[in-house]
Amino acid sequence: MTTTELPTTPVRPAPRPIDPEKLMAFVFRAVDEVGASLNTALVVMGDALGYYRTMADGASITPSELAERTGTDEHYAREWLAAQAAGNYLDYDPATRTYTLPAEQAAALTDETSPAYLPGFFQLTHGTVRDAAAVIGAARTGDGIGWHAHNGDVHVGCERFFRTMYNAHLIGEWLPALEGVVEKLERGATVADVGCGHGASTILMARTFPRSTFVGSDYHEGSIAIARRRAEQAGVADRVRFEVAPATEFTGSGHDLVTTFDALHDMGDPVGAARHVRHTLADDGTWMIVEPMAGDHVEDNLNPVGRAYYGFSTLLCTPASLSQDVGLALGTQAGPARIRDVATTAGFRRFAAVANTPFNNVLEVRP
Ligand SMILES: C[S@@+](CC[C@H](N)C(=O)[O-])C[C@H]1O[C@@H](n2cnc3c(N)ncnc32)[C@H](O)[C@@H]1O
């Protein structure tokens, strides 16, 4: 366990008039946010211990029943249930002293096939916050922190979070939004998925388009080892190859499609990566860039999704970019105009925003 280093001399701001009502409103909002911060760990706990899954049927339950059914200690189950009820994740009935998980929460917290499935988002957040002490140090020096340097909850949580969106949108909406790409994939195309992490997107595309071949690449060896196992398990390893390579060096040429899913802004040298994509892409090929939802200006992103993404940008994505050569540090909320600059600087001529969700921008880039 680490302790955050604080300044030794307390800073006293110059006195300014204070509205006591606004001050108290802010204090109570902050109390709610502290509760929400702790709830990140509580959701991970509920997911890991099977609390939510045990309650998914909507039946009311007491702390001792939950403890018994999950093989856990009743004291922990009791406090966890009360904390969840205080945050409106559960309903509480004082007459019977029982708790129930509403159907919507059950879908979002237990149903892996739901587009609203959330545990990965919480696991990613929990892992990210645990590594924040290193970020405070890096902000003092300007050093970066590579993706590989994070704890496994960051990698696994990221995959679970993004996989939910790829399952919901990639095949039915995003690929069809690209001109002529689905037809090529159906006939048999070559595809490079760059910065593929655990390969969720690569494997999903491979399962859907059995005539096409895929190469997924990522600079992080640990992620590629997992991606290879996942391809074996999915029965697509004969058409999917995974390689450890930075985005400026992945192999192959004449690709019909290159994809980067939520990875371009993490790279130190996105322009170098874009040049390499151009070099390995067929002249009539397409580069699909999926980036976190963002507008081009800070004021466009001052909303709940932007807030979460600026948080990840500060603690995860910007340090990742700064840890690599060039260290452009686009930031998670770079926005389409900045991504277009990256692509056109690398020699691409055509650029279009073709789809979006509350969490993603999908961009079509062509020579
Ligand atoms: C936010 S994760 C997304 C992973 C995956 N595409 C997904 O959607 O689950 C960003 C990924 O970019 C990879 N990455 C960062 N810099 C890279 C670089 N220069 N070359 C290749 N991969 C890189 C990281 O290792 C990480 O797997």
Side-chain angles (χ1 to χ4, degrees):
M1 306 242 177
T2 51
T3 307
T4 306
E5 207 183 302
L6 299 172
T8 43
T9 331
V11 180
R12 283 196 178 280
R16 287 193 290 157
I18 297 252
D19 176 334
E21 265 181 42
K22 284 189 184 163
L23 176 61
M24 284 323 287
F26 180 69
V27 167
F28 280 109
R29 180 169 164 232
V31 170
D32 197 33
E33 302 222 343
V34 169
S37 305
L38 292 166
N39 194 50
T40 300
L42 295 175
V43 172
V44 171
M45 183 176 174
D47 182 41
L49 296 178
Y51 288 161
Y52 294 122
R53 288 187 291 282
T54 302
M55 300 180 73
D57 60 5
S60 52
I61 201 164
T62 64
S64 65
E65 285 164 350
L66 181 63
E68 199 192 317
R69 287 177 59 187
T70 54
T72 58
D73 183 272
E74 185 180 338
H75 304 90
Y76 288 91
R78 185 187 68 204
E79 299 307 308
W80 181 87
L81 283 164
Q84 294 290 285
N88 294 321
Y89 276 50
L90 300 179
D91 291 333
Y92 177 62
D93 178 8
T96 55
R97 297 190 183 171
T98 57
Y99 297 84
T100 49
L101 182 65
E104 295 73 22
Q105 276 85 329
L109 295 165
T110 68
D111 180 1
E112 286 197 43
T113 66
S114 165
Y117 185 62
L118 288 172
F121 204 10
F122 282 95
Q123 186 178 6
L124 169 62
T125 305
H126 185 51
T128 301
V129 169
R130 288 213 314 275
D131 288 343
V135 177
I136 294 172
R140 289 196 167 104
T141 60
D143 289 342
I145 300 168
W147 183 257
H148 61 277
H150 288 285
N151 67 78
D153 279 337
V154 169
H155 308 141
V156 175
C158 174
E159 183 211 338
R160 290 176 82 197
F161 174 50
F162 286 132
R163 181 165 19 106
T164 300
M165 288 178 236
Y166 305 153
N167 284 340
H169 304 287
L170 174 57
I171 304 301
E173 294 162 35
W174 298 348
L175 289 172
L178 307 170
E179 200 181 310
V181 166
V182 169
E183 292 76 6
K184 285 185 190 171
L185 289 166
E186 281 168 348
R187 280 200 306 270
T190 62
V191 182
D193 188 9
V194 181
C196 67
H198 292 179
S201 49
T202 334
I203 292 167
L204 176 61
M205 290 190 286
R207 291 170 84 145
T208 313
F209 300 105
R211 293 202 176 130
S212 291
T213 53
F214 298 80
V215 53
S217 59
D218 199 290
Y219 91 101
H220 180 217
E221 213 173 327
S223 288
I224 289 298
I226 291 174
R228 285 182 181 140
R229 279 206 300 279
R230 298 269 158 88
E232 291 283 349
Q233 286 158 359
V236 293
D238 56 329
R239 289 180 297 108
V240 182
R241 187 168 60 79
F242 284 108
E243 63 180 18
V244 179
T248 45
E249 290 174 25
F250 66 90
T251 59
S253 61
H255 293 303
D256 299 295
L257 175 67
V258 175
T259 54
T260 44
F261 289 90
D262 292 291
L264 191 66
H265 65 273
D266 291 296
M267 296 174 187
D269 184 10
V271 175
R275 284 203 181 97
H276 192 62
V277 171
R278 175 65 196 95
H279 181 66
T280 61
L281 195 67
D283 285 340
D284 63 348
T286 301
W287 180 19
M288 177 170 73
I289 305 176
V290 178
E291 277 287 294
M293 167 49 78
D296 292 324
H297 309 286
V298 169
E299 59 271 30
D300 302 332
N301 305 321
L302 302 183
N303 53 57
V305 172
R307 185 186 191 196
Y309 279 157
Y310 277 127
F312 286 121
S313 192
T314 311
L315 297 172
L316 208 54
C317 310
T318 298
S321 177
L322 288 173
S323 75
Q324 299 181 14
D325 284 350
V326 181
L328 190 65
L330 280 175
T332 310
Q333 296 286 269
R338 193 86 172 83
I339 304 295
R340 178 191 208 129
D341 277 352
V342 167
T344 50
T345 306
F348 284 95
R349 295 200 178 156
R350 290 182 289 173
F351 182 96
V354 291
N356 61 59
T357 74
F359 294 101
N360 310 95
N361 266 328
V362 181
L363 309 166
E364 177 189 60
V365 179
R366 289 183 289 174

